[in-house]
């Protein structure tokens, strides 16, 4: 069966979990059955039927939502689901524990796939094991389609596209700023964080993946000029204010570098990118950046040590299936700003992109990001030379994803940076 002859356009896998339910709610609110053949997937038929009934009752454009049953540990059931749909959109993590059989099933069936993973060690494993197979199958396996890592990855791609179009050359330096935000943490997210550190404590490849800034690049290309994530307070070279390290840099920076490599280095092999948390100017800014650095260092140390990591998981982190309340999701927000610096024939320039939303970044906004990434794959709304492989959002979908995010209600802007106004000119 060809990819275009499937029963479903899209299956939301893990639809009864915290993130999966939000994705299903978003898709059935934004689209109708005339736009999309959608199915809800998971292992608990009773809960899936309850979700179906709730969504059909709430949405005027849906008379039914088919349910597909499988198990993350049963490859045969996953293969049957993958063979019957064009795109699988999965929220079932930790992906290190539950994700690999579904990736295998999608590659075997030639089915496109997108997820929310921030588990850099697992993405490295998928690249090394399955990239070539996915290319041969024409299956687009697109990782990290949520807050990790669409704002950083797409924001960088927008900056570079604008720079090339307007100035004829890409930016050689990109800074990603985690400007502001408020949101909750679910048990699934906490489990993924724990899994990354657990893997690094026992697996030398996972440890090397966390240490090497180019660990997600293709084999044979895992080195370069970029020194990697900032770990100490530093005065920013573009904005002149103090910055601290970002907790998301370990994933996002590597995803951006992989995008550059997959697209055959349109931004150059000397391209550098760093994600940071801007704190402010003067002595207060320096103290704030020092506090951010110390806090992240302490958290890393606690998670790296087995007994304290286990204690956090048991007594501090939410249980799997728990997540932020509806009120917390609706009252959350975030802003990610990306500045790129380059030099054209008539002198230096700086380009800015900004992606922001008035929802919790990890759930309300992430559900929309993942949903629109999946819809871009369903509708073939992509600007990419790549027809298969273990891919990134920027490399697999590219600039059209910005239009999807705007449809979803996010703010997505790009233009020349005005240093006097501190924003897009």
């Amino acid at each position: 069966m060809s990819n275009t002859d499937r029963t479903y356009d899209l299956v939301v896998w893990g639809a009864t979990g915290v993130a999966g339910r939000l994705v299903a709610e978003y898709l059935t609110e934004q689209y109708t059955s005339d736009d999309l053949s959608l199915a809800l997937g998971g292992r608990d038929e009773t809960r899936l039927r309850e979700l179906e009934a709730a969504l059909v009752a709430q949405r005027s454009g849906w008379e039914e939502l088919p349910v597909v049953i499988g198990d993350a540990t049963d490859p045969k059931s996953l293969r049957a689901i993958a063979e019957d749909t064009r795109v699988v959109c999965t929220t079932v993590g930790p992906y290190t524990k539950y994700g690999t059989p579904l990736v295998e099933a999608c590659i075997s069936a030639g089915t496109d796939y997108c997820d929310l993973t921030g588990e850099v060690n697992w993405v490295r494993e998928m690249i090394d094991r399955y990239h070539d197979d996915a290319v041969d199958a024409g299956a687009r396996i697109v990782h990290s389609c949520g807050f990790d890592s669409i704002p950083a990855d797409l924001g960088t791609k927008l900056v570079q596209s604008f720079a090339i179009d307007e100035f004829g050359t890409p930016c050689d330096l990109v800074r990603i700023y985690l400007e502001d935000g408020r949101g909750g943490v679910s048990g699934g997210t906490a489990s993924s964080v724990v899994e990354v550190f657990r893997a690094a404590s026992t697996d030398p490849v996972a440890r090397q993946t966390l240490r090497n800034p180019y660990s997600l690049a293709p084999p044979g290309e895992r080195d370069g000029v970029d020194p990697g994530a900032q770990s100490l307070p530093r005065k920013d070279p573009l904005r002149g204010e103090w910055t601290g390290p970002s907790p998301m840099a370990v994933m996002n920076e590597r995803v951006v570098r992989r995008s550059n490599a997959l697209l055959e280095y349109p931004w150059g092999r000397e391209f550098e990118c760093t994600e940071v948390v801007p704190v402010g100017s003067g002595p207060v800014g320096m103290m704030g950046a020092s506090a951010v650095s110390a806090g992240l260092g302490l958290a890393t140390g606690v998670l790296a040590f087995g007994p304290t990591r286990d204690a956090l998981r048991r007594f501090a982190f939410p249980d799997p299936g728990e997540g932020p309340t509806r009120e917390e999701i609706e009252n959350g927000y975030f802003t990610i700003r990306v500045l790129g610096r380059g030099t054209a024939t008539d002198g230096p320039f700086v380009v800015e992109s900004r992606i922001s939303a008035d929802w919790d970044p990890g759930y309300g906004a992430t559900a929309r990001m993942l949903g629109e990434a999946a819809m871009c794959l369903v509708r073939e709304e992509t600007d990419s030379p790549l027809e298969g492989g273990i891919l990134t959002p920027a490399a697999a979908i590219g600039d059209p994803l910005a239009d999807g995010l705007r449809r979803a209600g996010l703010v997505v802007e790009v233009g020349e940076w005005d240093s006097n106004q501190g924003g897009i000119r």
Side-chain angles (χ1 to χ4, degrees):
M1 183 182 294
S2 72
N3 188 284
T4 58
D5 295 329
R6 310 292 174 92
T7 303
Y8 309 115
D9 294 323
L10 177 62
V11 168
V12 177
W13 179 244
T16 59
V18 177
R21 186 183 184 103
L22 289 170
V23 174
E25 289 176 350
Y26 168 72
L27 289 171
T28 53
E29 179 181 40
Q30 186 75 6
Y31 301 97
T32 71
S33 58
D34 292 335
D35 305 314
L36 175 69
S37 175
L38 176 67
L40 308 175
R43 64 180 180 177
D44 189 328
E45 183 173 1
T46 299
R47 293 180 64 197
L48 287 167
R49 294 294 180 191
E50 290 172 352
L51 175 60
E52 177 199 10
L55 291 176
V56 169
Q58 295 165 6
R59 312 296 193 230
S60 60
W62 299 88
E63 295 182 359
E64 65 174 349
L65 285 164
V67 165
V68 295
I69 308 302
D71 192 298
T73 62
D74 178 10
K76 185 177 180 180
S77 68
L78 298 180
R79 174 67 186 270
I81 291 169
E83 288 178 342
D84 213 21
T85 189
R86 295 174 57 205
V87 179
V88 173
C89 166
T90 175
T91 63
V92 178
Y95 293 91
T96 303
K97 186 175 182 180
Y98 297 115
T100 302
L102 183 57
V103 169
E104 292 173 337
C106 287
I107 293 173
S108 178
T111 297
D112 293 334
Y113 161 109
C114 54
D115 68 27
L116 295 176
T117 188
E119 298 162 48
V120 64
N121 58 301
W122 181 71
V123 174
R124 161 72 180 269
E125 181 184 351
M126 296 302 96
I127 292 166
D128 290 349
R129 291 177 62 182
Y130 298 119
H131 178 74
D132 291 342
D133 290 342
V135 170
D136 292 341
R140 295 173 289 190
I141 307 299
V142 191
H143 294 306
S144 307
C145 293
F147 192 54
D148 270 339
S149 298
I150 279 179
D153 192 38
L154 178 63
T156 299
K157 177 66 167 59
L158 293 174
V159 159
Q160 295 289 25
S161 295
F162 186 91
I164 292 169
D165 289 344
E166 295 295 319
F167 300 102
T169 188
C171 301
D172 53 21
L173 172 68
V174 162
R175 303 279 288 178
I176 302 162
Y177 303 93
L178 183 57
E179 292 256 320
D180 197 8
R182 181 174 67 188
V185 176
S186 76
T189 298
S191 296
S192 292
V193 171
V194 168
E195 189 60 35
V196 170
F197 282 91
R198 186 208 60 77
S201 70
T202 59
D203 182 358
V205 174
R207 284 197 298 275
Q208 190 270 348
T209 299
L210 292 176
R211 292 170 181 164
N212 180 3
Y214 293 88
S215 58
L216 298 188
E221 301 180 33
R222 290 177 175 160
D223 54 31
V225 301
D226 206 317
Q230 180 176 315
S231 59
L232 298 172
R234 182 184 175 190
K235 218 168 187 183
D236 191 78
L238 298 183
R239 293 168 52 162
E241 62 182 300
W242 285 95
T243 60
S246 168
M248 298 166 59
V250 67
M251 186 68 191
N252 292 344
E253 292 177 7
R254 286 163 175 76
V255 168
V256 170
R257 295 186 194 105
R258 179 162 180 79
S259 293
N260 189 33
L262 287 170
L263 296 172
E264 299 187 353
Y265 299 99
W267 313 332
R269 290 181 179 268
E270 306 299 306
F271 163 74
E272 297 183 33
C273 71
T274 305
E275 180 173 295
V276 296
V277 177
V279 180
S281 303
V284 173
M286 182 177 66
M287 292 173 59
S290 298
V292 170
S293 301
L296 185 57
L298 177 61
T300 300
V302 169
L303 287 165
F305 184 53
T308 51
R309 182 173 64 244
D310 291 341
L312 278 177
R313 180 171 55 186
R314 291 178 61 190
F315 301 115
F317 288 161
D319 291 331
E322 294 183 356
T325 65
R326 292 283 173 175
E327 183 179 2
E328 289 171 332
I329 290 171
E330 293 298 325
N331 291 332
Y333 57 87
F334 79 90
T335 297
I336 299 291
R337 194 181 306 271
V338 179
L339 294 183
R341 183 190 67 194
T343 304
T345 55
D346 57 350
F349 63 86
V350 178
V351 175
E352 174 187 341
S353 69
R354 181 170 68 95
I355 299 178
S356 62
D358 291 328
W359 304 288
D360 172 288
Y363 292 91
T366 278
R368 290 162 171 81
M369 293 181 207
L370 180 61
E372 286 300 330
M375 288 302 297
C376 285
L377 295 175
V378 167
R379 293 176 159 185
E380 295 294 339
E381 293 176 353
T382 63
D383 180 13
S384 171
L386 305 171
E387 297 180 354
I390 307 298
L391 307 177
T392 64
I397 304 171
D399 294 7
L401 182 53
D403 292 329
L405 299 190
R406 293 183 185 108
R407 283 196 301 268
L410 282 77
V411 175
V412 183
E413 299 176 317
V414 63
E416 190 173 356
W417 185 59
D418 187 329
S419 59
N420 293 322
Q421 297 182 0
I424 295 172
R425 182 173 299 168

